[in-house]
Amino acid sequence: MLPISMKIVLIIGIVWAVFSGIMVSLFLELSGRVSQRLTANQEDKINYFSAAVSKDIQNTVRRMAELSVDESVRQFVRSGEETFQYRDYQIYREGYRELSDCFASSMYIDDVFLYVPEKGQILSVDQSLYSVEGSAYQEWLEWGMETGENCFYGENQITYLYYDDNNLAVGMVISLPQVRSTLQSYESERDYQFFFVSSRDYQYLGNGSGDAQVEEEIYQTVDWSQKLEDEYQVGEDTYFVRCLGNPDNQFYIVMYSDRKDVLADVYYMWGIWTILLFLLFVVLLFLIFTIRGMIKRPIRKLEYAMKKIEQDCYTISLEQDESREFSYVFEQFNKMAEKIRTLIEEVLEGQILMEQIKNRQLSLQINPHFLFNSLYMGYRLAKADDTESVASLCLYLGDYFGVLTYASRDYIRLENEVQFTEAYLKLNKMRYDERLEYEMVWDRTLKDERILPLLLQPLLGFLFQKGLEKSLHPVCRIRIEIRKKENWIVFSIWEDSGAFDESMVEAMQTVMNGTALPEEYFELWNLKHRIEGMYRVKDGVSLHLKEDCLHVEYAMEIRGRLEQYV
C-alpha cells in the first residue's frame, strides 16, 4: 500500500490536474466561440458590401442595355459623314452626356465607353472620342463581340461589355482599388483582410488590403476546387479563409484573418492563466513537500526506534517533539519499550529464558525486517506504476499473514503450512528476483495431516540470510520435498548457494545439540527441540553437505487428520 504522504501527493496532484483540464477545456471552447463569432461578423460585413456592389453593377448593366437603344447613342453610331459638322458635334455631345450619366450612377466605375465597330472609334467618358483602328485593343473588342465574352480582367480593373447586334458595344470599367477602398470603410476594427479573384477561373486579381506576399502565399495554398470554409497554414501562421460574393459580379472577395489577431484577447487571457497555473503549481509543490516532510520525519524516527527494538535495544526513547498525533504514538512506543525493559529486568532467569524463546519464535513468524522490506518493495513498485506486481505483493502478504492468525495453535494442516511457505517463497522471489529459484514438491494425499506449525518458514529465512545473501553463485536454487515414509512425514530441503562449508555445518550441529538458548543459529536449534520435544525422537534434524549443497531433513509422525479451518 502507498504511504500516507504519497496518497496526499496523489490527491493534490489529481485535484490540480482535473482543475487544469477543466480550465484548458474552457479556454479551448472560448477560443472556438470567439473565432466563430468574429468570422460570422466578418462574413456579415462582406456579404452586406457584396450585396451593395451587386446592386450597383446590376443597375449599371441595365443602364448599359438602355444606352444601346438610346436615340442619341444610335444617332452617334449612324453619323458617318467625313466632314465634321456642327450637327455631328451635337450628336457627339448628346451621346457623351448619356455615357456620363451612366458613369455617375455608381461610385465603383472608372470609365464608361461606346465602341462603334464600323468606325473603329471609342467614345469614352474618361478619354472622350478616339480611334482604335488597327490596335490590339480593337482586336480584343472584336474577339469579345465574336465569342460573346462579356467580361475581361485587367490590371486593377474589370471590364463589362454589352453587345447590340454587332453594331456597337457598350462597356463599363469597374475599379478594384475603389471597391477595396469602399470595403475598407466598412472595416472599422481592421479585424480581417481581403483580396479579389475572378469567379470564372479563380484568377488572382490582387488589390488586397493586406500584405501582397501573404496574399500570394494564401492564394497558392488554397484548394480552389473546394468550398473555402477552413483554416490554412501559411508558413508558421494560421489563417481563417472564406470566399464570399456574387458570381454574377465576375469576381469573389476572399476574406482572411490571422488566427493570432482573431484570438489575441484569448491568448492574452491564456497567458495570464498560464502564469497563475504555474504559480499555483509552485505553491502546491511547496505544500506537498512540507506535508510530506511533516509525515515522513516522525515515521523515520519510529522506524529507527523499531529497528533498535529489533536489535534488542530497549533503552531507546523517542522525544515527543512532533505533532499531537505522532506525540501520542511516540508516548505509547516509549511506554512499550519501558515495559519490555522492566519485564526483562524483573523476571527470573528461567522465565527470561522462556520469554526469549517465545520472542525469538515470534520474530521468526513475524520478522519486522521482513515486513519492512516487503512494505518498501511495495513502495518502490507503486512508484514505478507496476500495478500488477503491487497486486501480487498484496495477495502474497495476505496469504502470508492469513496463516499467522492461527499459527499459534498446537497443530496445523499440512496444506496450510504449504500455502504459507509458498506465499513466503513468492514474496522473497519478488525481492531477490533472478537470484532465487525454488521448487516445491509434496504429496497431496497428506494435505489434511496435522503437523506442528511454522516448520519451514523459519528454516527458509535462515537459509536466505546465511546462504542466499552470501551466495557464491549468481543463482541460488532451493528444492523442498515433502513425502510419506511409512508412518512419518519427511521434509527434505536442498540449498546450493555454496555459502556453507564443513566448518559451518559442524558449528550448526554443535548449536543444535546444545541446551542453552543460542544467539546464533536459533532457527535450527528451535526446530530441532520442537520436533524432538513433540515426537520424542532423537536427532530430529539432520544436516549434510555434499558438493556445496546443504541438505536439511527432518520427519514428523503421522497422528491423524485435522479438520479444515482456513
Side-chain angles (χ1 to χ4, degrees):
M1 297 180 63
L2 290 176
I4 297 177
S5 59
M6 287 305 302
K7 289 182 179 179
I8 294 175
V9 170
L10 286 177
I11 292 173
I12 295 177
I14 290 173
V15 172
W16 178 83
V18 171
F19 179 71
S20 301
I22 293 174
M23 293 304 299
V24 170
S25 300
L26 291 176
F27 273 107
L28 291 177
E29 178 67 18
L30 177 62
S31 63
R33 289 180 177 272
V34 170
S35 61
Q36 290 177 2
R37 184 173 64 252
L38 184 58
T39 301
N41 183 44
Q42 295 170 350
E43 290 182 356
D44 289 342
K45 293 180 181 180
I46 295 293
N47 286 328
Y48 174 78
F49 169 74
S50 179
V53 172
S54 297
K55 188 66 175 177
D56 282 354
I57 292 177
Q58 291 172 5
N59 291 335
T60 306
V61 170
R62 184 172 63 253
R63 180 63 177 147
M64 288 168 58
E66 294 174 356
L67 280 175
S68 65
V69 296
D70 187 87
E71 183 58 30
S72 59
V73 173
R74 291 286 185 175
Q75 289 182 1
F76 174 78
V77 173
R78 289 194 298 268
S79 62
E81 299 180 3
E82 296 182 358
T83 304
F84 188 77
Q85 303 293 331
Y86 179 73
R87 173 69 177 168
D88 296 327
Y89 174 74
Q90 289 181 323
I91 293 174
Y92 157 75
R93 290 293 301 170
E94 189 65 24
Y96 185 83
R97 184 182 62 78
E98 292 295 334
L99 293 178
S100 298
D101 291 343
C102 183
F103 174 81
S105 65
S106 174
M107 61 187 299
Y108 314 114
I109 299 178
D110 257 2
D111 192 15
V112 177
F113 62 88
L114 178 67
Y115 171 62
V116 184
E118 295 180 355
K119 298 180 180 181
Q121 292 180 333
I122 288 181
L123 177 59
S124 167
V125 174
D126 185 43
Q127 302 183 45
S128 189
L129 182 64
Y130 62 94
S131 174
V132 294
E133 190 72 33
S135 66
Y137 193 56
Q138 183 183 26
E139 294 179 0
W140 174 67
L141 292 172
E142 293 292 342
W143 177 81
M145 296 178 69
E146 292 175 4
T147 60
E149 188 68 40
N150 63 349
C151 182
F152 298 92
Y153 302 100
E155 184 178 1
N156 297 327
Q157 63 186 22
I158 301 176
T159 302
Y160 297 86
L161 295 176
Y162 181 82
Y163 308 108
D164 180 30
D165 300 331
N166 293 328
N167 291 324
L168 60 86
V170 181
M172 173 182 64
V173 179
I174 295 295
S175 170
L176 290 179
Q178 185 62 35
V179 175
R180 179 188 63 201
S181 176
T182 305
L183 180 58
Q184 285 179 319
S185 67
Y186 288 94
E187 188 196 359
S188 59
E189 299 176 1
R190 295 293 189 270
D191 49 13
Y192 64 88
Q193 303 294 339
F194 57 88
F195 60 88
F196 302 99
V197 297
S198 69
S199 61
R200 183 170 58 200
D201 55 4
Y202 293 101
Q203 176 186 350
Y204 177 64
L205 302 179
N207 289 281
S209 60
D211 185 86
Q213 183 177 357
V214 173
E215 293 177 359
E216 286 280 1
E217 292 177 354
I218 293 176
Y219 177 78
Q220 297 296 332
T221 303
V222 167
D223 183 4
W224 297 100
S225 63
Q226 303 294 327
K227 187 177 181 181
L228 297 187
E229 292 184 357
D230 206 348
E231 298 181 10
Y232 291 88
Q233 187 74 28
V234 179
E236 297 181 355
D237 298 322
T238 301
Y239 292 89
F240 298 106
V241 181
R242 298 290 186 272
C243 188
L244 306 171
N246 190 338
D248 294 337
N249 297 341
Q250 304 299 330
F251 67 90
Y252 285 124
I253 302 171
V254 180
M255 178 191 70
Y256 65 95
S257 301
D258 193 332
R259 183 184 177 89
K260 296 192 301 295
D261 297 335
V262 172
L263 302 178
D265 293 337
V266 176
Y267 289 155
Y268 177 75
M269 295 174 61
W270 177 252
I272 295 177
W273 164 244
T274 302
I275 294 174
L276 293 177
L277 194 63
F278 175 75
L279 294 176
L280 178 62
F281 180 74
V282 172
V283 172
L284 288 177
L285 282 181
F286 174 77
L287 291 177
I288 287 172
F289 284 105
T290 301
I291 295 173
R292 187 169 182 267
M294 293 171 61
I295 296 176
K296 196 169 185 179
R297 184 176 59 254
I299 290 180
R300 284 180 175 176
K301 292 181 179 179
L302 187 59
E303 181 181 359
Y304 172 78
M306 291 294 291
K307 289 181 178 180
K308 287 294 186 180
I309 293 293
E310 184 183 3
Q311 298 169 4
D312 298 331
C313 179
Y314 301 103
T315 58
I316 185 70
S317 178
L318 294 173
E319 295 184 6
Q320 301 180 29
D321 55 354
E322 298 294 340
S323 61
R324 183 176 59 183
E325 295 81 3
F326 282 103
S327 294
Y328 174 78
V329 175
F330 288 179
E331 181 183 359
Q332 296 304 313
F333 176 85
N334 293 338
K335 289 181 179 180
M336 179 193 68
E338 178 66 25
K339 287 180 179 179
I340 294 175
R341 184 170 61 251
T342 302
L343 181 63
I344 292 175
E345 293 175 352
E346 294 179 354
V347 177
L348 298 175
E349 183 177 351
Q351 293 176 321
I352 294 176
L353 179 60
M354 295 301 298
E355 197 66 27
Q356 287 177 338
I357 294 175
K358 292 180 180 180
N359 288 339
R360 291 290 297 274
Q361 176 65 23
L362 181 61
S363 68
L364 294 177
Q365 298 173 9
I366 311 176
N367 191 333
H369 184 68
F370 168 75
L371 178 60
F372 293 154
N373 283 339
S374 299
L375 294 176
Y376 184 68
M377 181 166 55
Y379 169 77
R380 290 189 292 105
L381 292 174
K383 288 287 287 184
D385 287 338
D386 191 354
T387 56
E388 292 294 330
S389 297
V390 173
S392 299
L393 177 64
C394 294
L395 180 63
Y396 301 155
L397 284 174
D399 293 340
Y400 180 84
F401 288 104
V403 176
L404 291 181
T405 59
Y406 60 85
S408 60
R409 302 189 180 189
D410 293 334
Y411 293 97
I412 188 173
R413 293 172 64 247
L414 177 61
E415 184 181 35
N416 297 132
E417 178 72 7
V418 170
Q419 291 175 349
F420 175 70
T421 304
E422 287 181 340
Y424 183 73
L425 287 170
K426 290 176 181 178
L427 287 169
N428 281 278
K429 175 64 176 175
M430 294 184 68
R431 177 185 176 188
Y432 295 108
D433 197 12
E434 297 179 355
R435 293 179 56 196
L436 172 63
E437 290 184 2
Y438 67 89
E439 180 183 9
M440 191 169 187
V441 180
W442 64 292
D443 187 355
R444 297 185 181 274
T445 62
L446 304 172
K447 65 177 183 178
D448 293 324
E449 300 296 339
R450 58 179 180 174
I451 62 172
L452 291 177
L454 300 175
L455 293 177
L456 283 171
Q457 183 267 335
L459 177 59
L460 292 175
F462 170 78
L463 294 178
F464 290 149
Q465 181 182 5
K466 300 296 184 179
L468 175 60
E469 294 185 358
K470 302 176 181 179
S471 176
L472 303 178
H473 306 147
V475 179
C476 178
R477 296 176 178 86
I478 293 179
R479 173 180 171 83
I480 303 171
E481 181 179 332
I482 305 174
R483 68 185 186 278
K484 181 179 180 182
K485 184 178 180 181
E486 298 178 354
N487 197 41
W488 294 83
I489 302 174
V490 180
F491 293 77
S492 297
I493 299 94
W494 289 268
E495 188 266 7
D496 69 344
S497 65
F500 297 96
D501 54 23
E502 291 291 343
S503 61
M504 292 181 64
V505 173
E506 292 178 1
M508 289 187 289
Q509 290 176 339
T510 301
V511 170
M512 286 194 303
N513 294 329
T515 57
L517 181 66
E519 291 295 328
E520 192 174 15
Y521 306 134
F522 171 81
E523 296 85 352
L524 297 174
W525 182 89
N526 183 61
L527 176 63
K528 182 176 184 297
H529 283 75
R530 288 180 67 199
I531 292 176
E532 292 178 353
M534 179 61 68
Y535 298 102
R536 299 294 187 268
V537 296
K538 188 177 181 181
D539 298 327
V541 179
S542 64
L543 296 176
H544 300 284
L545 187 65
K546 184 177 180 180
E547 296 179 356
D548 293 337
C549 183
L550 180 66
H551 178 211
V552 183
E553 187 172 278
Y554 54 92
M556 285 176 287
E557 186 180 8
I558 297 177
R559 293 187 174 180
R561 295 177 178 270
L562 189 66
E563 292 297 327
Q564 184 173 350
Y565 52 84
V566 178

